[in-house]
Amino acid sequence: MSTQVPALLDGLVDDAAVFPPGSAALPDALAAHRQHRTAWYADLVGPLLVPASKVARGDLGGLVDPGEGLVVGVIGDTGIGHLPVALSFLAPDGVTARQIEVAVAKRGEDPLPGIAELLRLTGTVPGVEAVYAELPLTFGLMGALDALAAARADGVPIAAKFRTGGLAAELFPTPAELAAVICACRDRGLPFKLTAGLHQAVRHLDAETGFTHHGYANVLAATLAAADGDSVEAVAELLTVVDPRPLLERATVRLDEPRPLWVGFGSCSILEPLTDLIRLGLVNGGYDA
């Protein structure tokens, strides 16, 4: 059965197959990504995310047909300063970097110097549609969001990125913290992306990690509420619920509208979130597993 992915979910899930916990080999990730891009649910799928370290080693060489028009997102695991070197490897293989994503500070560091360095870089990478500055949810966050919003107002295609999970408890923001961030981006007209921990649609305790994970359907409903002008408290409430019904009430009436604010998230599995979306009735369709 072939079914169009609704506008609200367009490009929601970037393909992070090579990153943990999936950690697929790059040739396998590329083969699977090509299948995703030609499947009936292709509109759900964003670019393949590739670490800058792998790109700079030339790992894509020989794996890509220059005529296929592969689009990737480059993750700056080697830092801001090394991104230009990695990006220089893409054009000879016919690969386009739609976006670059990089952490601008560690927890407890002032993010403004990293943002300034990243903004200098953006003028040297023509063709990149989006730059995501990953911000720790600690010291200097609101000032960092102000700096990103000011740069965006000047025409720089920059946005925020936040971590919503990982291997340590402090990497999981509380619902109140995440709601405050969503509303802060709302107040600044600043798009944001999320990464890590969003393995399932609804908030849940993960038996493998031992942590309570945010659900991406919770984030979707919370973002819609924020865009509608709801308070931080109301947005936080939607992030806490484990019953999908109030989340679906928010989403189903907006399926034909573009998704506000939240650009999406990376997932090492595409079929896992797709399965949940089908189960919840947000996508109607089927696939061959």
Side-chain angles (χ1 to χ4, degrees):
M1 178 178 178
S2 178
T3 304
Q4 186 77 25
V5 172
L8 185 65
L9 304 177
D10 186 63
L12 178 66
V13 188
D14 284 353
D15 189 349
V18 302
F19 291 88
S23 303
L26 188 55
D28 296 336
L30 276 166
H33 185 72
R34 292 183 181 106
Q35 292 180 340
H36 296 319
R37 296 305 308 164
T38 58
W40 64 266
Y41 54 84
D43 287 347
L44 178 71
V45 185
L48 179 69
L49 303 182
V50 185
S53 57
K54 291 184 179 292
V55 177
R57 284 202 308 262
D59 289 4
L60 284 173
L63 297 178
V64 181
D65 179 351
E68 73 176 282
L70 179 67
V71 175
V72 301
V74 176
I75 308 299
D77 60 329
T78 53
I80 299 170
H82 292 87
L83 279 170
V85 174
L87 294 170
S88 71
F89 278 76
L90 296 177
D93 291 322
V95 180
T96 299
R98 175 184 298 173
Q99 62 205 48
I100 56 177
E101 309 176 19
V102 62
V104 297
K106 298 177 182 177
R107 291 179 65 86
E109 291 182 345
D110 183 357
L112 291 179
I115 289 174
E117 183 182 1
L118 184 57
L119 289 174
R120 288 192 293 269
L121 171 68
T122 59
T124 67
V125 287
V128 172
E129 296 179 8
V131 178
Y132 296 98
E134 183 179 326
L135 301 169
L137 301 184
T138 55
F139 173 77
L141 176 59
M142 294 303 156
L145 295 180
D146 288 339
L148 295 183
R152 191 171 182 85
D154 287 337
V156 180
I158 198 162
K161 178 181 175 182
F162 307 107
R163 192 159 291 273
T164 50
L167 300 178
E170 63 266 21
L171 297 177
F172 288 79
T174 67
E177 290 171 333
L178 186 53
V181 165
I182 291 172
C183 290
C185 288
R186 181 267 318 273
D187 295 342
R188 292 163 175 79
L190 184 66
F192 66 91
K193 188 182 180 191
L194 301 177
T195 186
L198 296 173
H199 298 158
Q200 295 180 23
V202 181
R203 183 173 177 83
H204 65 284
L205 176 64
D206 190 292
E208 293 186 8
T209 66
F211 299 122
T212 298
H213 288 239
H214 291 285
Y216 60 81
N218 295 78
V219 175
L220 179 61
T223 304
L224 292 172
D228 287 342
D230 285 17
S231 66
V232 174
E233 292 77 15
V235 172
E237 178 63 26
L238 286 167
L239 291 170
T240 67
V241 301
V242 295
D243 181 347
R245 286 174 292 184
L247 310 179
L248 295 175
E249 288 174 4
R250 285 277 182 175
T252 51
V253 297
R254 306 278 284 275
L255 285 177
D256 294 332
E257 302 175 16
R259 187 171 58 256
L261 293 171
W262 185 28
V263 177
F265 68 101
S267 173
C268 63
S269 169
I270 297 297
L271 297 185
E272 184 176 340
L274 174 64
T275 299
D276 262 6
L277 290 169
I278 294 172
R279 179 178 60 83
L280 292 173
L282 292 174
V283 170
N284 295 315
Y287 63 88
D288 296 326

